[in-house]
Amino acid sequence: MRLPFPTIHSHCTSHALPSLPFSLPFFKPSPRRPPRGVRMDSSDRPISTLSLRRQKDKILVIMGATGCGKSKLSIDLATRFQAEIINSDKMQVYKGLDITTNKIPIHERNGVAHHLLGVFDPLDGEVSASEFRLTAGLAISDILSRQKLPMVVGGSNSFIHALVVDRFNPDLDVFGGASNPVSTQLRYNCCFVWVDVSLPVLEDYLCYRVDEMLESGMPEELSEYYRWEDPASQPGLRKAIGVPEFERYFKRYPPGRAGAGAGGGEWDEAQRREYEEAVREIKENTCELAKRQIGKMMRLKGAGWELQRVDATEAFREAMKVRTASDSSKNNKKKKRKKKRWMEVWERDVVQPSMKIVNRFLEE
């Protein structure tokens, strides 16, 4: 039963992004052999620095700010390269709050295996970067043992850094200041694909996405969470955007009481203002998160990480046109044309460039 939370109308509405309808050849691991001209030692191993780098296991890493299309691109690529996905989003590793943490629904995964997605019990404490490094590393080994391509996907750059660097020191915050330099010595042969969207376009999209999450049941999900759980006992999950923003609201209007959105009571003006303030904070904090994530990726790139940027800005502009189109039958054909246009731009600007990057990487 849906709870009577009000709809907060923004300047647009959201629709799910459709999957692209084409496929390409699967990934097939190539035999490991030294490049031409590389001298071998007595154990038949190449001794050049470059060839040693190539002996490392290959993994694909999809990076980008929140809401930039990483999950969609990862599915598009995984279905073409026989890949399996390892989630590297700090909030999505926990069980629960699937809408609030924006976990990709099962029906949108197209049968692609996902690892570390909603597997940690939030009551067991916060997942550390060291714990993620260990569990994700084991997942990579498992995927490689089955001749599949490991694909790490998520916006938590601290988790990605912890996973891929050769020597990880959990006591150093490489994103906290210039005194702790970012390591360029990696334990995997990594292909970094950075899905980038112009910040003004991304911020507009993120606000629409929050509206979509609200309409999909985020307030009801949080109401149940605050009704049965103590956020203080879940230090990791309680940091998910939406949980702290709604804390004051649910303290004043506890779930299950009349007038609190769960008992059939009428909303008064004060309650509506409190609810709208929580929504405003969610949108603001989501945009701030995107800025911080972009700043961290710029730091990694500046340190020498080979982040290969794919510009999805035009695709997101087209996606916004689809979202703002009317659902009336009169405009249905026009909306279909906009949707088709969006799919074409997504394929041209995001999927095809990413495919070229991955193909070059696998052929090295």
Side-chain angles (χ1 to χ4, degrees):
M1 179 177 180
R2 291 293 298 273
L3 306 180
F5 287 94
T7 299
I8 304 297
H9 293 288
S10 183
H11 47 288
C12 70
T13 57
S14 297
H15 302 276
L17 303 180
S19 298
L20 297 173
F22 66 90
S23 61
L24 290 171
F26 288 137
F27 160 67
K28 295 181 179 179
S30 57
R32 294 180 177 176
R33 57 181 181 271
R36 181 178 301 175
V38 173
R39 186 163 56 91
M40 312 295 289
D41 66 11
S42 59
S43 301
D44 204 31
R45 293 175 300 185
I47 60 176
S48 74
T49 302
L50 177 60
S51 59
L52 284 173
R53 175 179 177 271
R54 290 182 174 176
Q55 292 302 305
K56 297 177 182 178
D57 290 319
K58 290 185 175 183
I59 68 170
L60 175 60
V61 184
I62 308 297
M63 309 174 71
T66 182
C68 72
K70 297 184 297 297
S71 294
K72 174 169 175 52
L73 178 60
S74 68
I75 297 297
D76 289 335
L77 295 178
T79 53
R80 294 157 174 81
F81 290 100
Q82 285 194 345
E84 295 186 15
I85 293 171
I86 300 171
N87 165 58
S88 61
D89 183 286
K90 279 186 178 179
M91 297 299 110
Q92 293 181 2
V93 298
Y94 299 106
K95 297 176 182 177
L97 295 184
D98 290 356
I99 299 173
T100 303
T101 59
N102 204 37
K103 295 185 181 77
I104 182 171
I106 293 178
H107 70 273
E108 293 182 10
R109 298 178 194 176
N110 289 358
V112 176
H114 282 65
H115 303 262
L116 305 190
L117 184 64
V119 297
F120 289 93
D121 189 334
L123 291 173
D124 290 339
E126 188 170 359
V127 177
S128 68
S130 296
E131 187 173 4
F132 177 80
R133 175 182 170 91
L134 173 61
T135 53
L138 292 173
I140 288 174
S141 297
D142 175 55
I143 295 169
L144 289 168
S145 71
R146 290 181 279 104
Q147 300 291 299
K148 299 293 184 69
L149 174 65
M151 185 188 306
V152 180
V153 182
S156 297
N157 297 287
S158 58
F159 269 14
I160 292 174
H161 175 269
L163 172 63
V164 303
V165 294
D166 191 29
R167 295 182 180 181
F168 173 62
N169 185 345
D171 296 326
L172 295 181
D173 179 8
V174 300
F175 299 109
S179 59
N180 297 325
V182 175
S183 174
T184 56
Q185 301 298 313
L186 308 181
R187 62 172 175 162
Y188 300 107
N189 185 357
C190 301
C191 175
F192 298 104
V193 176
W194 173 10
V195 186
D196 192 24
V197 181
S198 170
L199 188 57
V201 175
L202 180 60
E203 288 181 332
D204 285 344
Y205 174 81
L206 290 174
C207 290
Y208 288 123
R209 193 179 71 161
V210 171
D211 290 335
E212 182 183 51
M213 293 164 67
L214 293 168
E215 293 170 6
S216 297
M218 180 179 174
E220 291 86 351
E221 181 179 73
L222 288 170
S223 175
E224 288 298 298
Y225 178 75
Y226 272 101
R227 185 174 185 177
W228 301 110
E229 304 290 348
D230 176 14
S233 67
Q234 303 181 3
L237 192 58
R238 73 175 299 185
K239 295 179 182 178
I241 292 180
V243 176
E245 289 83 358
F246 263 103
E247 183 174 10
R248 184 174 62 186
Y249 173 84
F250 283 116
K251 281 184 177 179
R252 178 170 292 186
Y253 305 99
R257 293 189 182 181
E266 294 293 330
W267 284 64
D268 59 29
E269 196 61 33
Q271 181 178 352
R272 183 175 293 275
R273 284 197 303 269
E274 197 77 46
Y275 178 85
E276 291 176 349
E277 175 63 16
V279 172
R280 185 195 66 78
E281 289 180 358
I282 289 174
K283 293 181 177 181
E284 184 177 281
N285 291 339
T286 302
C287 292
E288 287 300 316
L289 171 63
K291 292 177 184 177
R292 292 197 303 272
Q293 290 171 328
I294 293 172
K296 289 180 179 180
M297 284 181 289
M298 293 297 294
R299 181 170 175 79
L300 294 174
K301 188 173 180 63
W305 285 32
E306 297 179 7
L307 308 188
Q308 302 188 71
R309 179 176 175 270
V310 176
D311 190 351
T313 302
E314 188 60 31
F316 270 70
R317 288 196 179 102
E318 295 298 329
M320 296 284 281
K321 293 177 183 178
V322 176
R323 292 168 183 268
T324 56
S326 171
D327 288 326
S328 66
S329 57
K330 181 179 179 180
N331 294 321
N332 192 43
K333 290 184 178 180
K334 185 176 181 180
K335 186 171 184 177
K336 285 183 178 179
R337 288 196 300 270
K338 290 182 178 180
K339 191 173 183 179
K340 180 181 179 181
R341 172 61 180 166
W342 173 83
M343 293 173 64
E344 292 171 346
V345 176
W346 174 261
E347 177 185 346
R348 182 197 70 197
D349 290 359
V350 183
V351 177
Q352 290 185 0
S354 299
M355 291 288 298
K356 291 179 181 178
I357 292 170
V358 177
N359 275 321
R360 285 196 302 267
F361 171 67
L362 296 177
E363 291 170 359
E364 290 177 349

